[in-house]
């Protein structure tokens, strides 16, 4: 792929998915089970993330795992005994469901030995990624684009094709939520796309009065390979962790970084309420569960004295 001046523009082929965090906000479930494997009805969160990457055109995925995360590798592996049992009992259609995504891309794993933060997890991808721009998808975040829109990561990749540089997805959050996320300060500079702005700086989990905007980083990124040098140069900060936001901030002081304000729902599964919302929204949308779940919610609200909106 080349730009208007004929320069080669590297294609985004690889993705890194950090899934090694301790998930303390979701204890006790995460004591023995990765939060990235929590199911939304019958599909683990991480499978949604991998499917989004594959549907966006990613061919190679590196998952950052760690202690207690073996279920992740098993999930994307073949399971010959299970497949033989499904075949023997005439349930072949389920075989596609248990295999599908693991067959459609190459998945690699690396372990993070100590949970030193998202920045540390991303740094572990350096050798695998090499010297090319890559996608980063948080393993505990599900993105639901508006109906009819491309997958979340694909939208970022399209923005990268217009403006080949680091691009982070952002979405507007209520003012009292800014202290949960990395928040961007947009620069006053025009770009080729209406919903794309250059980033002046980023602040990790600011106090509500100190946030430069209410645009929160949404868990999907296209990163230039120079991010790895920036990760080498930062120090532990908020929460005693190596923050990816600090490294992107450093990158933004040396080269262009853009933010794509998209219209998509973001579910941070590490947060219990967002997990519950994600589960309910999917249950209300899936043809095999929608009617029964809607009826149940209406009945439950009626018997608790509330009426549904
Ligand atoms: P979170 O910021 O939600 O951190 O990670 P966490 O440690 O998992 O959760 P809490 O705050 O203790 O509840 C965002 C993503 O980055 C990964 C997580 O697995 C999650 O998918 N992560 C985080 C790592 O891979 N390594 C880390 O050291 C931290």
């Amino acid at each position: 792929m080349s730009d208007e001046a004929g320069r080669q523009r590297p294609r985004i082929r690889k993705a890194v998915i950090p899934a090694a965090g301790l998930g303390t906000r979701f204890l006790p479930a995460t004591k023995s089970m990765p939060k990235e494997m929590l199911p939304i009805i019958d599909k683990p969160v991480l499978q949604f993330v991998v499917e989004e990457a594959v549907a966006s055109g990613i061919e190679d995925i590196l998952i950052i795992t760690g202690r207690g995360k073996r279920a992740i590798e098993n999930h994307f592996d073949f399971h010959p005994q299970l497949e033989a049992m499904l075949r023997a009992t005439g349930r072949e259609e389920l075989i596609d469901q248990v295999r599908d995504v693991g067959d459609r891309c190459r998945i690699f794993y690396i372990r993070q030995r100590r949970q030193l933060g998202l920045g540390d997890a991303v740094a572990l991808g350096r050798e695998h990624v090499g010297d090319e721009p890559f996608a980063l998808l948080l393993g505990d975040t599900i993105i639901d684009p508006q109906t009819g829109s491309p997958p979340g990561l694909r939208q970022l990749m399209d923005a990268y094709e217009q403006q080949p540089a680091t691009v982070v997805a952002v979405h507007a959050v209520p003012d009292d939520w800014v202290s949960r996320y990395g928040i961007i300060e947009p620069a006053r500079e025009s770009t080729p796309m209406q919903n794309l702005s250059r980033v002046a700086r980023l602040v990790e989990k600011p106090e509500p009065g100190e946030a430069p905007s209410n645009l929160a980083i949404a868990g999907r990124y296209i990163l230039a390979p120079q991010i790895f040098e920036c990760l080498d140069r930062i120090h532990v900060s908020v929460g005693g962790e190596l923050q990816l936001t600090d490294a992107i901030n450093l990158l933004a002081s040396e080269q262009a970084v853009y933010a794509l304000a998209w219209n998509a729902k973001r579910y941070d599964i590490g947060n219990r309420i967002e997990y519950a919302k994600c589960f309910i929204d999917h249950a209300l949308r899936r043809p095999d569960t929608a009617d029964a779940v809607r009826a149940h919610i209406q009945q439950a609200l009626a018997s608790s004295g509330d009426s549904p909106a």
Side-chain angles (χ1 to χ4, degrees):
M1 191 190 308
S2 54
D3 63 16
E4 281 162 17
R7 288 182 297 258
Q8 279 300 308
R9 179 184 301 169
R11 203 160 61 85
I12 310 293
R13 299 179 308 120
K14 295 184 179 176
V16 173
I17 304 182
L22 295 174
T24 52
R25 287 170 297 155
F26 227 104
L27 283 167
T30 44
K31 186 177 172 198
S32 63
M33 167 189 185
K35 85 174 147 180
E36 296 78 8
M37 292 301 291
L38 287 167
I40 305 300
I41 312 193
D42 53 9
K43 195 193 282 189
V45 171
L46 192 56
Q47 186 169 336
F48 283 88
V49 179
V50 170
E51 285 179 355
E52 179 191 335
V54 172
S56 302
I58 294 293
E59 300 155 5
D60 172 305
I61 294 176
L62 177 70
I63 301 180
I64 316 293
T65 69
R67 192 177 306 280
K69 301 270 182 174
R70 267 282 151 76
I72 292 176
E73 288 166 55
N74 289 339
H75 181 73
F76 293 107
D77 200 358
F78 278 119
H79 193 327
Q81 275 170 303
L82 177 63
E83 292 193 12
M85 188 274 281
L86 292 172
R87 205 166 281 119
T89 52
R91 286 179 289 170
E92 260 100 2
E93 75 287 353
L94 285 176
I95 296 180
D96 286 346
Q97 289 185 28
V98 296
R99 254 197 205 182
D100 201 29
V101 73
D103 273 357
R104 285 188 287 139
C105 59
R106 284 175 300 151
I107 302 184
F108 302 85
Y109 301 92
I110 189 167
R111 280 170 76 105
Q112 185 186 28
R113 296 179 67 199
R114 286 191 295 156
Q115 278 53 52
L116 299 176
L118 180 59
D120 181 69
V122 174
L124 291 171
R126 187 179 207 147
E127 286 189 8
H128 187 90
V129 165
D131 193 22
E132 51 184 284
F134 64 101
L136 176 71
L137 302 95
L138 299 193
D140 66 348
T141 298
I142 290 181
I143 302 294
D144 273 349
Q146 278 192 324
T147 313
S149 301
L153 179 63
R154 187 64 246 172
Q155 294 183 33
L156 273 190
M157 289 161 76
D158 291 344
Y160 169 85
E161 281 170 18
Q162 297 275 324
Q163 199 74 349
T166 291
V167 196
V168 302
V170 293
H171 66 146
V173 296
D175 290 345
D176 54 347
W177 280 26
V178 290
S179 54
R180 299 184 193 180
Y181 298 110
I183 301 291
I184 67 148
E185 178 179 325
R188 292 179 199 281
E189 188 179 299
S190 64
T191 71
M193 289 167 70
Q194 203 203 351
N195 54 348
L196 193 70
S197 42
R198 189 158 172 174
V199 174
R201 74 185 170 108
L202 299 104
V203 192
E204 184 64 24
K205 300 188 174 70
E207 291 304 320
E210 284 160 22
S213 74
N214 66 343
L215 293 173
I217 299 180
R220 300 291 184 264
Y221 314 70
I222 302 292
L223 294 169
Q226 290 77 20
I227 193 70
F228 294 115
E229 289 146 38
C230 294
L231 284 164
D232 281 346
R233 287 156 54 201
I234 59 165
H235 304 285
V236 292
S237 61
V238 181
E241 296 188 340
L242 212 54
Q243 296 291 348
L244 177 65
T245 308
D246 291 343
I248 300 178
N249 219 357
L250 190 54
L251 191 69
S253 69
E254 294 173 357
Q255 56 175 255
V257 170
Y258 294 90
L260 180 74
W262 66 15
N263 233 334
K265 264 193 191 162
R266 170 236 174 107
Y267 299 100
D268 169 9
I269 298 299
N271 174 298
R272 280 169 284 173
I273 293 176
E274 288 201 37
Y275 174 65
K277 284 185 185 171
C278 185
F279 202 105
I280 293 167
D281 288 353
H282 279 79
L284 288 173
R285 196 186 311 153
R286 274 176 54 148
D288 60 337
T289 53
D291 290 347
V293 173
R294 182 170 295 105
H296 174 75
I297 291 174
Q298 280 166 343
Q299 203 180 28
L301 289 175
S303 62
S304 70
D306 290 326
S307 56

